[in-house]
């Protein structure tokens, strides 16, 4: 059974049952979040995507618990830290001894627009060696080449930066959803720094 979940809630607690495939699109604007996903059924899969646009100090805590064997989690967290503030991604995948043949992957990225302080803490707490896992963490800015390319096409710096942010935050999402449109409306509120 496949299902898509779109959320802008600060708290998200979900159990993924046997043979379920769940796609979660979680979009937050200038808030912290607490996410707990329990893989409670065999052959359960979750694809979790977080798009966070940040202006103040915020913390995002995400934990995936592989409580059954043959479960898979694919976590993507993308954040834009728009001001001189703090953004934390604390992402934890847990595989206990009793869960076999699990897959848990994390892809974590934060783009700093100004001199904000960002931190990514990717954690893989794995007690079973029959697990495939990987994580990545990137904090930085957009490549100058991307901005230069858009500028060479006659696009202003502000519009180019806005386009890059939209693509970065929404690369997996259905742009027709109201929640996504709400987040997009906030992108224009960011004060761009050259």
């Amino acid at each position: 059974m496949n299902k898509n979940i779109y959320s802008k809630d600060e708290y998200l607690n979900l159990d993924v049952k046997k043979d379920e495939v769940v796609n979660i699109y979680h979009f937050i604007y200038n808030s912290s979040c607490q996410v707990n996903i329990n893989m409670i059924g065999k052959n359960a899969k979750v694809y979790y995507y977080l798009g966070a646009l940040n202006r103040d100090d915020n913390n995002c805590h995400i934990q995936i618990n592989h409580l059954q064997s043959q479960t898979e989690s694919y976590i993507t967290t993308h954040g834009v830290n728009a001001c001189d503030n703090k953004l934390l991604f604390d992402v934890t995948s847990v595989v206990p001894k009793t869960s076999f043949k699990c897959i848990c992957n994390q892809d974590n990225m934060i783009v700093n627009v100004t001199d904000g302080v960002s931190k990514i803490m990717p954690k893989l707490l794995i007690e079973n060696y029959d697990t495939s896992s990987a994580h990545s963490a990137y904090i930085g800015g957009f490549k100058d080449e991307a901005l230069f390319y858009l500028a060479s096409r006659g696009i202003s710096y502000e519009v180019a930066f806005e386009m890059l942010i939209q693509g970065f935050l929404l690369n997996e999402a259905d742009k027709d959803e109201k929640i996504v449109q709400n987040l997009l409306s906030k992108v224009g509120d960011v004060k761009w720094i050259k």
Side-chain angles (χ1 to χ4, degrees):
M1 177 170 116
N2 288 0
K3 67 179 168 181
N4 293 332
I5 297 171
Y6 293 86
S7 177
K8 60 180 180 176
D9 298 332
E10 291 180 24
Y11 300 97
L12 186 61
N13 193 13
L14 180 70
D15 293 335
V16 184
K17 300 176 180 131
K18 182 179 180 185
D19 297 321
E20 273 189 330
V21 178
V22 180
N23 300 295
I24 304 166
Y25 302 101
H26 192 188
F27 301 102
I28 57 174
Y29 171 68
N30 202 36
S31 68
S32 295
C33 70
Q34 183 76 40
V35 176
N36 189 58
I37 300 171
N38 297 309
M39 313 289 286
I40 62 171
K42 201 172 187 181
N43 297 317
K45 286 185 188 178
V46 67
Y47 298 87
Y48 173 81
Y49 177 81
L50 172 66
L53 182 57
N54 192 52
R55 295 178 66 95
D56 297 319
D57 293 349
N58 287 298
N59 301 319
C60 296
H61 298 278
I62 297 128
Q63 182 161 326
I64 312 297
N65 300 302
H66 290 259
L67 303 176
Q68 282 291 331
S69 295
Q70 299 175 350
T71 54
E72 299 179 25
S73 64
Y74 303 91
I75 311 306
T76 302
T77 60
H78 285 180
V80 174
N81 199 6
C83 299
D84 295 338
N85 53 347
K86 295 178 184 173
L87 178 59
L88 167 69
F89 284 171
D90 181 1
V91 185
T92 305
S93 300
V94 179
V95 180
K97 283 185 204 180
T98 56
S99 297
F100 298 90
K101 298 186 185 304
C102 294
I103 297 173
C104 50
N105 291 316
Q106 298 179 15
D107 178 23
N108 306 290
M109 298 175 74
I110 298 175
V111 170
N112 284 321
V113 174
T114 60
D115 293 327
V117 177
S118 298
K119 185 174 184 180
I120 299 173
M121 297 178 359
K123 295 181 238 163
L124 298 170
L125 306 178
I126 299 171
E127 296 179 350
N128 188 313
Y129 291 107
D130 192 10
T131 296
S132 173
S133 62
H135 67 76
S136 65
Y138 169 82
I139 299 172
F142 291 119
K143 293 185 178 180
D144 290 336
E145 295 84 21
L147 289 167
F148 176 78
Y149 176 81
L150 293 170
S152 71
R153 300 299 183 256
I155 299 171
S156 72
Y157 179 85
E158 290 80 11
V159 171
F161 215 97
E162 188 172 317
M163 289 171 64
L164 289 173
I165 287 177
Q166 288 177 8
F168 178 68
L169 291 178
L170 305 173
N171 67 355
E172 301 278 337
D174 178 356
K175 292 180 174 54
D176 293 332
E177 291 294 323
K178 288 180 182 177
I179 293 170
V180 175
Q181 293 302 322
N182 184 37
L183 183 67
L184 281 177
S185 71
K186 307 292 188 196
V187 170
D189 293 343
V190 175
K191 293 186 175 152
W192 309 113
I193 307 297
K194 285 190 178 182

